[in-house]
Amino acid sequence: MTYERWTLRTDTTSYTVRLSPDGPWAELDAWGPHGCEDGPSALDWSRRTHFLTPADAAPAEYLPYGMRPFTGSDLVASRPGRERGVWWEFDGAEAGEGSLRLAFTDDVLGLRTVLCYATAPGTDVVLRWTEHTCTGDEPLRLERFDSAAVNVPAPDGVRLTYLTGQWSQEFQRTRLDLTRGAFTMGSVQGVPGHAYAPWLALQDRSAPQDGPSPAYGVALEWPGNWHITAEAEPGGAVRVRAGRVPHEGAVLLAPGDTLTTPRLACAFSPDGLDGLARVQHRYERRLTGGRLHRTRKVLYNSWEATGFDVDAAGQLQLAEAAAGIGAELFVVDDGWFTGRDDDTGGLGDWYPDPKAFPEGFDRFVADVRALGLDFGLWLEPEAVSPGSRLHAEHPDWVYRIDGRPARLVRNQLLLDLGREDVQDFVVATLDRLLTAYDISYLKWDMNRPPTERGRPGAGPADLLDLDAAHVTGYLRVLDHLRTAHPHVTVEGCAGGGGRVDHATLARTDVVWPSDNTAPLDRLRIQYGFLHAHAPHVMSSWVTDAPGVFDPRARSLAFRFVTAICGVLGIGADLRAWNRGQRAEAARWIARYKQVRDVIHLGEARLLGTPDDPTCGVQYDAPDGTRTVVAAFSTGRLDGAPLVPGRPARLRLRALDPAARYHDAHTGAAYSGAHLLHYGLPFAWTARHDAELVELVKQ
């Protein structure tokens, strides 16, 4: 018997869905390189079901509780006060160029669900999401409404790779073998959070640890509460579900209303985690759109130099030093506004402190720009200090629960950005600052999660959807910034890397992966970050910060090469640097400017890991004419020249073995075959622990 099948094609992969022969649902038939759909499905099964149902054993693309009662459903719906469960029928397909919509209806419950698919041109990403419409005359209660589920054949289980951490230790690459059972990660902090990133990669458990092998990845586009769950199911398959998590535990869908879930980016590469990273990078370059080709300027940020002690004279002194070493942008961080002598006050009252800028803030900005620098400003738009004028005038604007204490985190409260009046206030504040002053860079920070998350007076709490409302408000403000102030570069930050997801990345230019800028700590953070996110969005600073988790000393060169792996910034107190340090900094900045187009627009390859004595990142220009290698010494030295020793080597990848490659800095020349077989040599010493190499193809 023949069943309907649909194939979505990306640049090099195919994603084939079919109607199941076992019931009214869609299931995955094939996912991999072009042509993998030509043959018996690797996900097909014997159709023997002992103590479960066919829907529980099927590689279903999306199934509700009721039809799939035992092994993990993607939708849990009911009428209020009635039994949970959906039993739907197929209601038609709409297939277009690079798109597919499969509809299912339950007329008894009053629900229409559409499974949505779209390819992202120029990438190997298939986007999936779901639309739920209440078609009856009673509201529906949705306890779970995941975006999608993906299936991976794995007779012996899978190796999961995911990014874990905490504040100042984000994006740590972590691995887990899953043979049976379930693995879940997520956040209920109102943002993706520091503990887990909304990204997961899967490989067969027997695949090489860091070599080419089929790799599947999912990433959720949602800057609020979320989960990703992987379940090793009976019969040798692993199924991954992902979606948002409502703060109230459920969402009520009114008659006629439609709920659209966040998009899930589903990626495949035959080249392991390294190849999967490049798929993710290409997709994020597409998300950036036309802003991708805007030069990401060398930034100086004053926070680590001055903290809250901000005044015009001190900031100008730093700006002069920054301009002197080649910085292109000066950003004043926290402490520039009224009432902000420390972290106990001022948030919400976004007016420059006249005591700190006695000749006016506009004069100060003009003085910075006269040095040849662009000007940027830090804000925390969602935050408010209890003693601020804003809080005195609008105490109802903060999240709170009547009869419960208002808990302070970092001495501040959080505005309910789901309210339109709060959104309007934030928009008006940003418009005022960006119109009154010549500001070309905005750093949006968020330093506390919502705790007592309520909105008294807005009706029954179980009818609200506060998490989605906050996300909607956040994205509305960012969309306004992009439209009303297109020249402004926007940096996303949430106490470091607490809000990094595709919805944020589509609306910002860079994100701040971590507040930890210590050299070896930062190297490990960036190594994990680059598995899921592109170099052109990774803001990284050179500072004097000592190690938090790895205190081994490293050179200024190591700090610069680490920061050059993304978008270079400086945060050290330049007033304390001697002439030699400033001169070295100027040389590194000049070298960065020569290669940043390759780093931001090229193909990145991760060479080894920070656990190896030598590791690095290789960046290849889109036209293949230049290769940039950032290399690091993280292990013991070989004792040379006191005892016999040989240079460390990094084997490069994807070069032309027949071509010659010329080192633009030293003049050394290599064949492509040599670099692929033996590798690029590095003679590490205690003082020479990092290098940046630019190879030009002859």
Side-chain angles (χ1 to χ4, degrees):
M1 187 172 181
T2 301
Y3 297 91
E4 286 193 81
R5 296 168 86 230
W6 303 269
T7 295
L8 294 156
R9 297 188 183 278
T10 68
D11 269 12
T12 67
T13 70
S14 299
Y15 192 101
T16 300
V17 182
R18 70 174 183 178
L19 284 182
S20 173
D22 306 297
W25 61 77
E27 58 188 34
L28 183 64
D29 190 70
W31 184 18
H34 285 162
C36 70
E37 69 277 15
D38 187 8
S41 174
L43 289 150
D44 211 358
W45 53 287
S46 67
R47 289 172 172 75
R48 294 180 64 86
T49 54
H50 297 292
F51 224 70
L52 44 73
T53 72
D56 287 301
E61 291 283 272
Y62 200 89
L63 267 177
Y65 178 79
M67 300 178 74
R68 185 181 172 93
F70 303 126
T71 57
S73 55
D74 316 300
L75 171 67
V76 178
S78 64
R79 294 177 183 170
R82 300 288 296 276
E83 294 84 1
R84 299 178 301 164
V86 178
W87 288 264
W88 63 31
E89 296 295 331
F90 180 60
D91 195 38
E94 297 178 25
E97 185 66 32
S99 67
L100 176 65
R101 293 172 62 87
L102 303 176
F104 298 85
T105 58
D106 183 339
D107 292 334
V108 174
L109 183 65
L111 173 69
R112 176 181 173 85
T113 295
V114 180
L115 312 187
C116 305
Y117 302 77
T119 59
T123 78
D124 283 319
V125 167
V126 175
L127 299 169
R128 295 190 55 198
W129 69 98
T130 310
E131 297 171 357
H132 302 287
T133 301
C134 179
T135 59
D137 55 8
E138 292 182 79
L140 294 178
R141 188 173 189 271
L142 306 183
E143 295 178 38
R144 182 185 305 149
F145 41 94
D146 288 339
S147 294
V150 297
N151 298 270
V152 175
D156 298 313
V158 292
R159 181 186 306 122
L160 304 179
T161 301
Y162 51 107
L163 303 174
T164 69
Q166 59 185 332
W167 175 82
S168 83
Q169 199 181 25
E170 300 92 329
F171 300 105
Q172 305 297 299
R173 191 184 76 164
T174 307
R175 285 177 166 172
L176 171 72
D177 283 355
L178 184 69
T179 54
R180 289 300 294 268
F183 166 82
T184 296
M185 62 180 179
S187 167
V188 290
Q189 292 184 303
V191 292
H194 299 80
Y196 303 98
W199 172 87
L200 179 70
L202 302 90
Q203 297 169 283
D204 192 286
R205 194 164 61 94
S206 62
Q209 287 281 336
D210 285 297
S213 62
Y216 305 83
V218 297
L220 188 66
E221 186 182 272
W222 184 251
N225 295 344
W226 64 279
H227 86 99
I228 295 177
T229 299
E231 296 170 303
E233 300 188 335
V238 172
R239 191 166 185 271
V240 178
R241 298 185 288 108
R244 73 177 184 93
V245 176
H247 168 73
E248 297 77 10
V251 168
L252 284 184
L253 190 61
D257 285 355
T258 296
L259 184 150
T260 301
T261 67
R263 298 192 302 181
L264 187 70
C266 306
F268 171 79
S269 173
D271 297 321
L273 296 180
D274 194 47
L276 190 65
R278 288 191 293 279
V279 175
Q280 301 279 1
H281 298 174
R282 285 192 289 273
Y283 177 62
E284 290 188 357
R285 289 196 291 267
R286 176 176 173 78
L287 287 178
T288 302
R291 302 191 313 279
L292 176 65
H293 298 284
R294 176 188 295 174
T295 299
R296 280 148 176 77
K297 297 187 176 181
V298 179
L299 165 155
Y300 180 85
N301 183 292
S302 65
W303 171 251
E304 296 205 9
T306 60
F308 295 109
D309 187 16
V310 172
D311 61 62
Q315 296 294 303
L316 283 172
Q317 188 180 9
L318 287 169
E320 290 171 0
I325 62 173
E328 300 161 302
L329 164 67
F330 185 80
V331 179
V332 178
D333 211 280
D334 200 350
W336 58 270
F337 45 98
T338 57
R340 195 61 169 172
D341 299 322
D342 53 33
D343 69 0
T344 64
L347 293 170
D349 298 340
W350 301 108
Y351 290 87
D353 187 347
K355 294 182 297 183
F357 305 98
E359 297 185 33
F361 198 65
D362 51 351
R363 169 63 185 274
F364 166 69
V365 174
D367 288 344
V368 170
R369 287 192 164 274
L371 297 170
L373 299 168
D374 285 356
F375 182 78
L377 203 59
W378 174 97
L379 280 93
E380 194 171 353
E382 294 149 283
V384 62
S385 300
S388 66
R389 185 178 67 185
L390 177 66
H391 186 252
E393 294 176 352
H394 300 284
D396 55 320
W397 281 8
V398 301
Y399 285 117
R400 68 201 190 284
I401 298 175
D402 280 345
R404 303 298 183 186
R407 182 173 4 195
L408 295 181
V409 177
R410 204 172 179 258
N411 294 308
Q412 64 195 54
L413 299 168
L414 193 70
L415 293 175
D416 180 353
L417 198 58
R419 295 174 55 129
E420 287 194 19
D421 48 3
V422 175
Q423 297 167 29
D424 292 342
F425 164 77
V426 173
V427 166
T429 297
L430 296 176
D431 284 346
R432 171 174 52 80
L433 290 169
L434 296 175
T435 302
Y437 307 110
D438 196 358
I439 297 170
S440 56
Y441 190 97
L442 181 71
K443 180 176 180 178
W444 180 313
D445 205 349
M446 180 195 186
N447 284 302
R448 65 103 80 211
T451 46
E452 291 69 43
R453 201 170 197 182
R455 189 187 296 166
D462 62 349
L463 298 183
L464 303 176
D465 189 359
L466 294 181
D467 188 65
H470 195 106
V471 167
T472 299
Y474 166 67
L475 298 182
R476 177 200 163 196
V477 176
L478 283 179
D479 287 339
H480 173 82
L481 271 175
R482 298 271 58 131
T483 301
H485 308 280
H487 68 286
V488 174
T489 297
V490 180
E491 175 184 346
C493 176
R499 192 190 255 161
V500 179
D501 71 287
H502 284 159
T504 295
L505 291 171
R507 294 164 172 85
T508 57
D509 299 283
V510 293
V511 290
W512 182 234
S514 179
D515 288 340
N516 188 345
T517 56
L520 287 165
D521 292 346
R522 187 71 178 207
L523 181 67
R524 194 172 293 275
I525 290 166
Q526 295 186 174
Y527 172 73
F529 183 95
L530 289 173
H531 275 75
H533 302 297
H536 79 275
V537 304
M538 187 176 74
S539 179
S540 188
W541 297 354
V542 175
T543 72
D544 298 319
V548 178
F549 299 96
D550 190 337
R552 289 177 293 165
R554 280 296 181 267
S555 68
L556 186 59
F558 192 104
R559 293 174 183 266
F560 264 99
V561 176
T562 302
I564 284 170
C565 286
V567 179
L568 174 62
I570 298 95
D573 187 351
L574 298 180
R575 299 169 300 186
W577 281 14
N578 60 37
R579 183 178 300 175
Q581 288 173 305
R582 293 193 191 190
E584 182 179 355
R587 290 193 295 271
W588 282 116
I589 290 171
R591 291 189 64 186
Y592 167 74
K593 291 176 181 177
Q594 293 171 348
V595 300
R596 62 182 160 190
D597 59 326
V598 178
I599 291 171
H600 298 161
L601 303 177
E603 295 280 284
R605 291 174 168 81
L606 299 169
L607 308 176
T609 82
D611 292 324
D612 299 322
T614 296
C615 65
V617 187
Q618 173 184 335
Y619 304 87
D620 297 308
D623 62 1
T625 59
R626 289 189 293 161
T627 293
V628 175
V629 179
F632 306 93
S633 171
T634 62
R636 296 175 59 187
L637 302 176
D638 64 7
L642 295 180
V643 297
R646 295 178 176 85
R649 287 181 177 266
L650 272 180
R651 288 188 178 91
L652 305 189
R653 301 175 188 161
L655 301 182
D656 180 355
R660 297 279 292 174
Y661 292 86
H662 173 81
D663 188 323
H665 189 63
T666 67
Y670 311 89
S671 70
H674 182 93
L675 295 171
L676 292 166
H677 181 64
Y678 287 119
L680 197 61
F682 299 95
W684 300 128
T685 68
R687 295 185 177 181
H688 179 64
D689 53 9
E691 187 54 88
L692 186 71
V693 177
E694 181 185 4
L695 299 171
V696 180
K697 186 178 180 181
Q698 302 294 301

